[in-house]
Amino acid sequence: MDFHFHLEEGPYSFGWLQKTARALQNAPDESPIEYRSHTLPWIEEQTKRLQTRLAEGCFSERWMERYMAQGRQRGIERFGIVDHLYRFEEFREYYEKYVIIDDSELGRLQSYWLDRVRIGSIEEYLTAVRRMQKKGHPISVGVEADFFPGGEAELKALLDRYELDYVIGSVHFVDGWGFDNPEVQHLFEEKDLLELYRYGFEHVKQAARSGIFDIIAHLDNLKVFNYRPDEALLQGLYDDLAAALKEADVASEINTGLAYRYPVKEACPSPSLLAKLHAHGVPITLSSDAHFPDDIGTMLDEAAQLAWDTGYREIVYFRDRHRISVPLRE
């Protein structure tokens, strides 16, 4: 299964256009272009496909079918679609309250980002995925919600308005700093890394204890740009983190996104953190964290093998906020 992937992500740039065009070109359900590659007629046909994609939007049945087709080709039998809450108007005030968007250099950069990733109402997203469910696709619909200490009641009240199969909790911000933004990665150099990880993991533990989330995503996401202390120094923190997730009865994931999209080139969690999760009995699912259809399922065979070698024999998915276990191997 691939239980954490996205249909789109801004900000919108020429790089984003290029990735979208490549996803269209690589889609297994697309009829091949009859013209020789890199000729003028070939690029004209590619441009028409891209224009259609932009006109239809990321919540179109055609775009979602591309994920299904690519996923099935890679052996995926159950899909979990999520979208980031910061993309929706209904959650604007929540993010503006907890993300630094002041007149500092960091604030201006993050304000620029937040304005450009927000696209409209969550209802369009939910309606589109439910339509796919009604067509019989094995999809669960969820959201990925950023956790901010002190914002628990506010977030829960917002989420309670919607019927969801599951909610993923993520920590992408520490004291309002979006640490996985490559434009501000230099701020890691100002930190005591061991204390930063200790502090960041406290956020993750609070998220688990909040009762809001079914899955806590990419637990050691702080390593995204390879700023990390000696992992031997993290073992106690890993143990405490795994114990907190078990006590809260929430699941986690093996998320391959960092392994194929970011400098660290390692999935979340690290193998040693995964071993701690298994030792404490924390259930897991598998996730590519794809943002384009040609990335769905990427490195999930490796993730499944790592889970098996660690001792896992089951993985989980969610439907109607209920956790369901299935064998890792048939």
Side-chain angles (χ1 to χ4, degrees), residues 23-242:
L24 292 171
Q25 181 181 358
N26 294 339
D29 59 331
E30 282 284 3
S31 57
I33 294 177
E34 297 179 358
Y35 309 108
R36 286 183 298 132
S37 62
H38 303 108
T39 61
L40 181 59
W42 176 86
I43 198 62
E44 289 173 340
E45 184 63 28
Q46 295 281 21
T47 302
K48 288 178 184 177
R49 291 183 177 183
L50 185 57
Q51 288 173 331
T52 298
R53 158 65 181 84
L54 291 173
E56 293 179 345
C58 67
F59 303 137
S60 71
E61 184 174 329
R62 192 199 306 260
W63 186 243
M64 286 189 279
E65 286 281 8
R66 289 191 171 95
Y67 281 86
M68 301 296 103
Q70 185 72 67
R72 290 190 187 98
Q73 191 176 76
R74 293 179 175 174
I76 295 169
E77 298 177 356
R78 175 147 305 265
F79 300 82
I81 298 177
V82 296
D83 211 337
H84 288 288
L85 290 188
Y86 52 67
R87 289 182 20 101
F88 302 123
E89 284 292 338
E90 291 89 345
F91 299 88
R92 173 196 286 265
E93 291 184 7
Y94 174 70
Y95 279 89
E96 289 180 344
K97 184 175 180 179
Y98 295 104
V99 174
I100 294 173
I101 54 170
D102 58 18
D103 198 40
S104 64
E105 181 181 357
L106 174 62
R108 290 192 299 271
L109 187 151
Q110 293 189 155
S111 178
Y112 181 94
W113 167 82
L114 196 54
D115 283 342
R116 282 154 180 79
V117 294
R118 190 182 300 113
I119 60 164
S121 173
I122 192 174
E123 294 293 351
E124 183 182 1
Y125 161 66
L126 296 176
T127 299
V129 182
R130 288 180 186 132
R131 189 180 302 121
M132 294 290 285
Q133 287 177 325
K134 289 177 182 178
K135 285 180 169 288
H137 292 285
I139 299 171
S140 293
V141 57
V143 293
E144 184 175 359
D146 287 280
F147 174 79
F148 300 101
E152 293 92 334
E154 185 177 354
L155 178 59
K156 185 178 186 305
L158 288 166
L159 290 172
D160 282 348
R161 301 174 185 176
Y162 308 102
E163 293 183 7
L164 299 161
D165 288 311
Y166 67 116
V167 178
I168 289 178
S170 297
V171 174
H172 293 102
F173 297 86
V174 172
D175 291 340
W177 161 46
F179 58 79
D180 59 353
N181 184 334
E183 295 186 64
V184 294
Q185 63 177 293
H186 62 277
L187 295 178
F188 278 97
E189 298 172 7
E190 304 172 5
K191 309 292 185 182
D192 178 316
L193 291 180
L194 184 58
E195 286 307 309
L196 175 63
Y197 275 65
R198 189 187 312 276
Y199 188 53
F201 285 168
E202 284 300 318
H203 285 50
V204 177
K205 289 190 285 187
Q206 289 178 54
R209 293 168 179 151
S210 70
I212 299 172
F213 309 112
D214 303 292
I215 299 169
I216 306 297
H218 39 61
L219 299 174
D220 52 348
N221 198 36
L222 276 166
K223 69 188 181 186
V224 56
F225 298 116
N226 232 352
Y227 290 92
R228 55 201 308 195
D230 184 336
E231 200 171 22
L233 301 176
L234 295 174
Q235 296 305 305
L237 299 181
Y238 286 173
D239 204 53
D240 291 345
L241 180 59

